[in-house]
Amino acid sequence: MDCFQTICCLKGSLGHQFLLFIVWLSSFQVAVALQTLLEPSHVSSTSELATPPNFGIFGPIEISPAILPRNPYPDESLAPMYPTFPTTYKPNLTGKCPVNFTALSNIIDKTASDCSQPLAALVGNVICCPQLGSLLHIFQGYYSVNSDKLVLQNAVADDCFSDIISILASRGANKTIPTLCSVKSLNLTGGLCPVKDVVNFEKIVNTSKLLEACSTVDPLKECCRPICQSAITEAALEMSRTQLTTNDNEELVTEHNRNDPLSDCKGVVYSYLSRKLSADAANAAFRTVSACKVNKVCPLNFTRPLEVIKACRNVAAPSPSCCSSLNTYMAGIQNQMLITNKQAIICATVLGSKLRQGGVMTNVYELCDIDLKDFSIQAYRQQGCLLRSLPPDVILDNSTGFSFTCDLNDNIAAPWPSSSSISTLSLCAPEMSLPALPTSQIKNPGNRGGELELLVPIFSFFIFSALLY
Ligand SMILES: *[C@@H]1O[C@H](CO)[C@@H](O)[C@H](O)[C@H]1NC(C)=O
Ligand SMILES: *[C@@H]1O[C@H](CO)[C@@H](O)[C@H](O)[C@H]1NC(C)=O
Ligand SMILES: *[C@@H]1O[C@H](CO)[C@@H](O)[C@H](O)[C@H]1NC(C)=O
Ligand SMILES: *[C@@H]1O[C@H](CO)[C@@H](O)[C@H](O)[C@H]1NC(C)=O
Ligand SMILES: *[C@@H]1O[C@H](CO)[C@@H](O)[C@H](O)[C@H]1NC(C)=O
Ligand SMILES: *[C@@H]1O[C@H](CO)[C@@H](O)[C@H](O)[C@H]1NC(C)=O
Ligand SMILES: *[C@@H]1O[C@H](CO)[C@@H](O)[C@H](O)[C@H]1NC(C)=O
């Protein structure tokens, strides 16, 4: 089964019942490589080919998934298998969070599918946690909309936080997301930020400037020329400074230094923004801002590549043992999680510098044909899936299950660092010269000179469950 990805068995809590979750990674929607594009007969009939291929760079297209679920064990007589869509149920609420969640239903559904049970850990860093954070900010703004407060009291924050997680779980989200995403009820309380109400907030912060900067955030510019992020930081700084000038209590000051009031105040700024912006505008702004943060770091866990160093040191020409060792190492990385194209560039550089530090001076990526997409989860041996730098939400379709869109901008060689230090890496400086950066939406859509449209594989995850004895 070439599209088979992982099986994990979860021991059920009831007696000897087991739940078998099989996550399918299938891209029935053919991911067309360059050669295939030149042979149109191989393109599946459901594919869309926007423009005839030219040459050069790859551009993204979104296509809808067309997928057939199949039984992974046709010869085994397991209990009936069927695609499971999130089983929704009525959540068990505390009854102590005085909020009508109906108004937040859309954003809660979006978050639940972004953090859906089997996918949460795979997309946690790039999709689920950013969306969960955004939901918490929006909840905070919504909670306080009829009062002067911008934050929740500690006790009610616990109840509301627990209700939010229960509701998300009741709509298919993984219950472990607070741990996965390092969020807790304190995220709703404003922590040690000294400003927690609207009157003082508006006294201290230039709110027209803040709202102007954050009401629409340009995803293509924000990460390199931050406007909303700067406005948020500036507002949070002004608020946290208020504490230090109006309160000379030394003990408090040390406590604040330890606990990062700036970060707490940023939470209050988000709450204010949520109050003033529509849920959709706020969500879009928060997701863009968090994507900027996410794209600065490679989230993969690289163990020390000792074997690779041993096999590849002093290698100058293609060497089977070096490449096989590198491929083995890469296969381990590929199981970890989905990452964005920008993260892949950083990851390639991080691994490259580890190798250089170990004395591997030749560009082994080139030698062994390692592409950027090799740093992400693979559907077939050669088809990596990198997300766009602004990762779109997970799509939940009630006939096909979960899917998400990959970006094939990434079909380029992994960059080999020019030194063993990664401190010089900037994805902004020569902004447009990085081939894997997203193409501008602002660009005239008719102007596709030099670009090759590729079909984007949609990796669809099918979840089947079966009860075994
Ligand atoms: C709901 O939660 C409360 C407290 O955790 C528990 O006592 C109660 O049995 C639960 N109700 C259901 C239907 O699960
Ligand atoms: C919650 O709000 C919705 C409309 O936004 C309303 O239809 C519903 O009755 C409210 N529920 C409660 C318990 O107030
Ligand atoms: C929920 O996520 C955790 C990781 O945070 C994972 O270990 C677990 O398997 C997931 N649960 C399901 C049912 O997929
Ligand atoms: C939650 O709080 C922690 C600790 O204060 C902070 O680091 C994190 O960024 C917060 N998360 C969100 C989504 O606000
Ligand atoms: C707020 O910021 C705007 C620029 O965005 C500026 O024109 C205005 O004077 C500022 N207001 C105050 C009170 O500083
Ligand atoms: C990284 O992977 C190693 C080995 O698989 C594991 O022991 C370690 O805990 C991981 N670190 C993190 C931060 O996940
Ligand atoms: C799928 O969703 C559509 C509308 O969103 C609905 O009409 C249809 O009944 C749903 N089908 C199933 C099997 O849930």
Side-chain angles (χ1 to χ4, degrees), residues 330-348:
M330 294 301 296
I333 292 173
Q334 286 164 356
N335 288 332
Q336 292 184 17
M337 64 182 84
L338 279 151
I339 59 175
T340 69
N341 48 19
K342 283 195 187 179
Q343 285 178 322
I345 296 175
I346 299 173
C347 292

Side-chain angles (χ1 to χ4, degrees), residues 112-362:
S113 66
D114 282 352
C115 296
S116 63
Q117 283 212 17
L119 287 178
L122 289 182
V123 298
N125 175 268
V126 278
I127 300 179
C128 164
C129 296
Q131 181 56 38
L132 178 61
S134 178
L135 170 67
L136 292 178
H137 296 317
I138 289 167
F139 173 83
Q140 209 178 6
Y142 173 74
Y143 179 88
S144 66
V145 80
N146 293 319
S147 78
D148 178 49
K149 293 268 171 282
L150 284 169
V151 301
L152 280 68
Q153 300 299 309
N154 284 4
V156 80
D158 283 346
D159 291 327
C160 289
F161 185 80
S162 144
D163 279 359
I164 292 171
I165 301 303
S166 300
I167 295 174
L168 287 171
S170 77
R171 300 191 190 181
N174 189 315
K175 282 194 191 77
T176 65
I177 48 177
T179 314
L180 182 71
C181 302
S182 312
V183 291
K184 44 185 190 285
S185 64
L186 281 178
N187 282 78
L188 297 171
T189 64
L192 291 164
C193 183
V195 181
K196 297 183 174 180
D197 61 281
V198 176
V199 172
N200 280 313
F201 187 93
E202 291 183 338
K203 249 186 237 162
I204 292 165
V205 174
N206 184 339
T207 51
S208 56
K209 193 171 154 191
L210 174 67
L211 288 172
E212 191 185 316
C214 293
S215 46
T216 48
V217 179
D218 184 338
L220 294 164
K221 294 185 181 155
E222 181 68 23
C223 297
C224 289
R225 288 177 290 276
I227 296 172
C228 177
Q229 291 167 95
S230 308
I232 291 172
T233 307
E234 193 185 323
L237 260 178
E238 281 161 1
M239 288 154 68
S240 57
R241 268 196 219 118
T242 310
Q243 175 71 34
L244 298 181
T245 52
T246 59
N247 191 340
D248 291 327
N249 185 327
E250 238 173 63
E251 210 179 333
L252 260 182
V253 172
T254 28
E255 200 186 355
H256 282 187
N257 286 342
R258 199 176 62 231
N259 283 293
D260 193 7
L262 183 61
S263 159
D264 289 342
C265 284
K266 280 187 184 171
V268 178
V269 179
Y270 282 115
S271 174
Y272 184 83
L273 286 170
S274 305
R275 222 175 131 103
K276 295 289 177 182
L277 304 177
S278 72
D280 286 340
N283 196 57
F286 298 161
R287 284 289 296 275
T288 302
V289 165
S290 53
C292 294
K293 215 186 287 171
V294 157
N295 280 315
K296 284 184 185 144
V297 180
C298 170
L300 300 179
N301 179 1
F302 292 112
T303 52
R304 290 192 64 201
L306 292 175
E307 295 300 316
V308 185
I309 289 172
K310 214 188 296 168
C312 296
R313 205 169 6 201
N314 305 323
V315 159
S319 142
S321 69
C322 166
C323 290
S324 122
S325 163
L326 182 58
N327 285 333
T328 307
Y329 187 84
M330 294 301 296
I333 292 173
Q334 286 164 356
N335 288 332
Q336 292 184 17
M337 64 182 84
L338 279 151
I339 59 175
T340 69
N341 48 19
K342 283 195 187 179
Q343 285 178 322
I345 296 175
I346 299 173
C347 292
T349 313
V350 170
L351 178 58
S353 50
K354 277 183 196 288
L355 293 173
R356 283 192 75 122
Q357 276 161 18
V360 179
M361 303 317 276
T362 315

